[in-house]
Amino acid sequence: EAGVAQSPRYKIIEKRQSVAFWCNPISGHATLYWYQQILGQGPKLLIQFQNNGVVDDSQLPKDRFSAERLKGVDSTLKIQPAKLEDSAVYLCASSLRAADGYTFGSGTRLTVV
Amino acid sequence: AQSVSQHNHHVILSEAASLELGCNYSYGGTVNLFWYVQYPGQHLQLLLKYFSGDPLVKGIKGFEAEFIKSKFSFNLRKPSVQWSDTAEYFCAVNTAAGNKLTFGGGTRVLVKP
């Protein structure tokens, strides 16, 4: 099966600029997740979607981050405006059931300068 | 809320040595446990998982993990490592109540040839 697709792979922006990341999950996976992985740390959940509804966004900095999953398939994560501390790898994952674990994409490495 | 701690941040060992990585979680209820691996430049991949049954779980590439409920632990082991096992290893847990996967901080393993 095709994996989780993410783009772009790399992005460098200046602080206060905006940026968007795109994710296409595995076909048929109803649950989609965005994680933030700062260098030297484990991934941290930002937001979880079930189909096109938000299940958990308790750790999403809503003053600058937003995410949507229109039509319950692809998803976009946006940061506006970016801060230096947003430099990280943004991972998208999807799952069919909790018991299966998640399948992760390759991530987008964001550098904010 | 659940949390995961991995005791070692960095491990360096020689080929053919045995590997054991510690993982402890905090959550009072039923949990599902995972180990993920991230090889240099690659995305997170599932090594093994535990849901129920035999607490000794065997995964890919000769890895195994043992769930000890009384100790809230899920340590990863490999009897004889290879240079290709150089990677970062993440322990993760989710609960029966929800899909949210919580990661530990990761352990970087360097296997010297």
Side-chain angles (χ1 to χ4, degrees):
Chain A
E1 64 180 3
V4 175
Q6 287 190 248
S7 67
R9 285 296 308 274
Y10 305 94
K11 191 75 178 178
I12 301 174
I13 62 171
E14 295 182 349
K15 59 183 179 184
R16 290 186 290 273
Q17 285 187 322
S18 62
V19 64
F21 313 125
W22 173 82
C23 172
N24 181 236
I26 291 175
S27 177
H29 282 195
T31 312
L32 183 148
Y33 315 81
W34 283 102
Y35 278 81
Q36 180 193 57
Q37 187 177 13
I38 293 172
L39 187 64
Q41 300 180 19
K44 183 186 81 171
L45 180 69
L46 291 175
I47 189 167
Q48 175 185 342
F49 290 95
Q50 181 74 20
N51 296 309
N52 60 348
V54 175
V55 174
D56 184 349
D57 64 356
S58 57
Q59 298 193 77
L60 187 74
K62 298 180 188 64
D63 57 333
R64 298 183 301 105
F65 286 65
S66 64
E68 59 182 11
R69 191 183 183 196
L70 300 175
K71 301 180 183 179
V73 181
D74 293 7
S75 177
T76 56
L77 176 69
K78 297 179 182 177
I79 307 175
Q80 182 179 13
K83 293 185 175 182
L84 295 176
E85 58 261 36
D86 297 331
S87 294
V89 176
Y90 290 85
L91 298 166
C92 180
S94 68
S95 70
L96 186 60
R97 298 177 305 234
D100 298 329
Y102 298 2
T103 301
F104 283 85
S106 298
T108 296
R109 183 177 297 276
L110 173 68
T111 302
V112 183
V113 298
Chain B
Q2 67 267 30
S3 66
V4 182
S5 62
Q6 293 182 239
H7 316 299
N8 309 100
H9 295 291
H10 294 91
V11 172
I12 301 174
L13 55 160
S14 300
E15 276 193 314
S18 64
L19 173 70
E20 180 161 0
L21 303 181
C23 171
N24 285 90
Y25 66 92
S26 65
Y27 184 73
T30 303
V31 294
N32 305 313
L33 297 154
F34 305 82
W35 276 97
Y36 281 84
V37 61
Q38 189 167 30
Y39 298 104
Q42 297 188 27
H43 59 276
L44 282 163
Q45 301 172 43
L46 183 65
L47 261 183
L48 49 77
K49 59 187 178 183
Y50 171 81
F51 285 80
S52 62
D54 188 345
L56 185 62
V57 180
K58 295 192 183 300
I60 61 172
K61 304 187 180 185
F63 285 90
E64 64 180 30
E66 184 175 13
F67 171 50
I68 303 179
K69 189 174 182 179
S70 61
K71 295 185 178 180
F72 297 87
S73 71
F74 190 55
N75 292 354
L76 181 71
R77 297 193 292 253
K78 185 169 184 178
S80 176
V81 295
Q82 300 172 318
W83 175 79
S84 58
D85 293 321
T86 293
E88 190 158 16
Y89 294 80
F90 294 93
C91 181
V93 59
N94 68 9
T95 70
N99 264 358
K100 177 181 175 179
L101 198 59
T102 300
F103 284 84
T107 299
R108 290 199 170 200
V109 174
L110 173 63
V111 180
K112 298 184 294 183

